[in-house]
């Protein structure tokens, strides 16, 4: 549970910097100033190589209609394709750019936003409309976080204390919350590659990965009540694919992982910084970044709300190489890929 300062690896690649590639709502609004810009984005997402009729396979420039701008009509079979079909905007009377701005707010700025704030910020007339939009957007963010990580990549697992400084209560941890973290370790050269949030499909080839250059892959963070085996074990089982090389310190809470089919590699660290750097470097960089983010951006958070902030951190962290994937995922735009697995990812509740 040793801590170290965020290293240079992350200064350029993670949480603080590349997460937010439009950096503000005005920035974002310059990119998507009106419904037409949003339609162009939808069209490019759906048909990256130009229009292809889903009914007859005809390619070319379709008919367009000023009164129904999200509709494309095939010049061969004359059937209509709606650009919003299958997205969260389908059949909604709310303007496209309002949806886009809302998705941007939800994925990048204010996680604890109320429906009332959301309504005010976007200038939506009816509270119910804002409430329903926000609910749809939030629901869409949950699912991809549930797929187990690891598999062909090793994971590092450790715990840390998050929280305010101890004042006048003697030694030890006071008002601090215990958080467990699990992170994938990937060879740097292979990243970013395809979206790692996809549960299956194309993935970069992995050749051992025992070099000097690694990056953090997908991340999970969970508030936990204690460090007991009955707490840590289910956490690993729920979040890490069986068979994964699972690196931990020598804590007894992890002793039984091998019996669940994990390739468990435990190294007794005992506060030794060099051993931490050697065996569990990634998760400690993540903890350092998390600390900096909670203190710097949010000026500390209460333990009651910590899990919500952890979710947001994880959501952004897991998408930091693919900023628009987060945005696409909440709008349910199956963008940048034609792989059926991508659509499958967002099915169900
Ligand atoms: Zn057609």
């Amino acid at each position: 549970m040793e801590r170290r300062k965020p290293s240079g690896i992350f200064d350029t690649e993670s949480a603080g910097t590349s997460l937010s590639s439009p950096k503000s709502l005005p920035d974002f609004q310059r990119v998507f100033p009106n419904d037409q810009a949003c339609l162009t984005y939808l069209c490019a997402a759906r048909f990256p190589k130009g229009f292809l009729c889903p009914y007859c396979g005809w390619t070319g420039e379709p008919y367009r209609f000023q009164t129904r701008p999200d509709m494309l009509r095939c010049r061969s079979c004359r059937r209509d394709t709606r650009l919003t079909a299958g997205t969260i905007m389908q059949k909604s009377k709310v303007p496209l750019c309002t949806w886009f701005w809302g998705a941007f707010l939800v994925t990048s700025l204010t996680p604890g936003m109320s429906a009332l704030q959301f309504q005010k910020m976007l200038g939506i007339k009816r509270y119910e409309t804002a409430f329903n939009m926000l609910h749809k957007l939030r629901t869409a963010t949950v699912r991809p976080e549930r797929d187990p990580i690891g598999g062909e990549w090793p994971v590092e697992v450790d715990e840390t204390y998050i929280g305010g400084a101890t004042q006048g209560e003697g030694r030890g941890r006071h008002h601090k919350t215990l958080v467990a973290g699990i992170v994938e370790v990937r060879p740097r050269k292979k990243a970013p590659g395809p979206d790692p949030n996809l549960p299956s499909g194309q993935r970069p080839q992995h050749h051992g990965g025992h070099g000097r250059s690694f990056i953090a892959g997908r991340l999970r963070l969970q508030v936990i009540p204690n460090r007991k085996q009955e707490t840590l074990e289910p956490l690993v089982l729920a979040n890490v694919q069986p068979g994964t090389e699972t690196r931990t310190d020598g804590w007894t809470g992890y002793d039984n992982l091998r019996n669940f089919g994990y390739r468990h590699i435990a190294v007794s660290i005992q506060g030794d910084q060099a051993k931490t750097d050697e065996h569990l470097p990634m998760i400690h960089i993540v903890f350092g970044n998390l600390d900096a983010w909670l203190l710097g951006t949010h000026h500390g958070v209460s333990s009651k709300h910590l899990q919500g902030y952890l979710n947001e951190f994880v959501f952004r962290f897991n998408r930091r190489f693919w900023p628009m994937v987060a945005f696409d995922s909440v709008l349910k735009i199956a963008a940048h890929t034609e792989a059926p697995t991508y659509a499958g990812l967002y099915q169900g509740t």
Side-chain angles (χ1 to χ4, degrees):
M1 290 195 291
E2 306 76 25
R3 199 71 65 73
R4 73 176 191 188
K5 288 226 162 80
S7 91
I9 297 179
F10 265 4
D11 293 342
T12 53
E13 279 187 338
S14 87
T17 50
S18 61
L19 284 175
S20 41
S21 37
K23 285 197 175 48
S24 63
L25 188 57
D27 262 6
F28 188 83
Q29 287 172 326
R30 268 190 286 279
V31 180
F32 297 107
N34 49 40
D35 286 356
Q36 188 51 52
C38 301
L39 277 171
T40 304
Y41 181 82
L42 277 179
C43 195
R46 178 114 187 237
F47 303 110
K49 294 168 190 163
F51 178 75
L52 177 131
C53 177
Y55 301 102
C56 74
W58 180 82
T59 57
E61 191 48 38
Y63 293 115
R64 290 167 196 267
F65 305 88
Q66 218 156 35
T67 48
R68 300 171 72 187
D70 81 319
M71 204 175 72
L72 306 176
R73 180 168 292 168
C74 175
R75 284 179 196 260
S76 172
C77 72
R78 313 257 155 177
R79 283 203 260 193
D80 295 334
T81 303
R82 296 202 86 118
L83 287 173
T84 52
T87 74
I88 204 169
M89 289 87 67
Q90 186 174 11
K91 291 179 185 164
S92 170
K93 291 195 171 72
V94 175
L96 282 183
C97 63
T98 306
W99 275 110
F100 272 51
W101 298 349
F104 179 76
L105 287 178
V106 167
T107 54
S108 58
L109 294 175
T110 321
M113 195 169 24
S114 70
L116 194 63
Q117 288 170 305
F118 189 77
Q119 180 192 9
K120 281 182 182 166
M121 284 175 102
L122 292 176
I124 298 165
K125 256 188 186 166
R126 295 178 62 242
Y127 175 81
E128 289 73 16
T129 308
F131 182 89
N132 286 329
M133 281 181 75
L134 193 55
H135 181 70
K136 276 186 180 178
L137 288 166
R138 280 198 178 132
T139 309
T141 64
V142 175
R143 168 87 186 165
E145 308 306 340
R146 292 189 187 161
D147 301 305
I149 63 174
E152 63 189 290
W153 292 289
V155 297
E156 295 176 7
V157 187
D158 207 357
E159 322 91 50
T160 188
Y161 281 98
I162 299 283
T166 303
Q167 284 176 346
E169 295 182 57
R171 295 190 58 195
R173 311 274 189 182
H174 300 289
H175 313 301
K176 294 203 172 206
T177 310
L178 192 58
V179 169
I182 309 175
V183 68
E184 278 173 350
V185 181
R186 299 187 177 202
R188 176 191 291 274
K189 279 186 178 172
K190 305 301 177 189
D195 177 11
N197 296 292
L198 300 180
S200 60
Q202 291 174 326
R203 280 184 162 166
Q205 286 289 313
H206 180 50
H207 300 291
H210 293 285
R212 278 182 303 138
S213 301
F214 301 107
I215 59 148
R218 291 173 296 181
L219 172 69
R220 297 288 183 269
L221 292 171
Q222 178 72 48
V223 170
I224 52 173
N226 54 54
R227 301 176 69 212
K228 291 177 184 170
Q229 190 167 344
E230 58 259 40
T231 300
L232 297 173
E233 231 165 47
L235 189 78
V236 173
L237 284 168
N239 286 287
V240 184
Q241 294 179 39
T244 300
E245 180 181 322
T246 305
R247 302 170 181 168
T248 70
D249 59 21
W251 174 243
T252 54
Y254 298 111
D255 276 355
N256 203 31
L257 286 181
R258 191 168 291 273
N259 296 333
F260 290 102
Y262 295 99
R263 285 182 289 144
H264 183 211
I265 301 181
V267 171
S268 178
I269 285 171
Q270 314 253 338
D272 185 330
Q273 186 66 55
K275 282 184 183 169
T276 303
D277 289 351
E278 176 73 22
H279 187 57
L280 300 170
M282 280 307 162
I283 194 63
H284 282 265
I285 294 170
V286 168
F287 287 157
N289 274 259
L290 175 66
D291 234 14
W293 181 72
L294 288 172
L295 288 173
T297 308
H298 298 294
H299 310 293
V301 298
S302 71
S303 58
K304 195 174 83 177
H305 295 121
L306 183 58
Q307 188 62 53
Y309 284 90
L310 296 182
N311 292 348
E312 188 205 352
F313 185 86
V314 167
F315 183 86
R316 293 174 171 216
F317 188 94
N318 287 344
R319 291 163 176 77
R320 68 201 188 281
F321 297 124
W322 301 266
M324 289 308 278
V325 170
F327 172 80
D328 289 345
S329 74
V330 297
L331 288 176
K332 303 196 178 189
I333 300 172
H336 314 311
T337 174
E338 290 162 7
T341 51
Y342 194 89
L345 183 58
Y346 302 110
Q347 281 171 3
T349 48

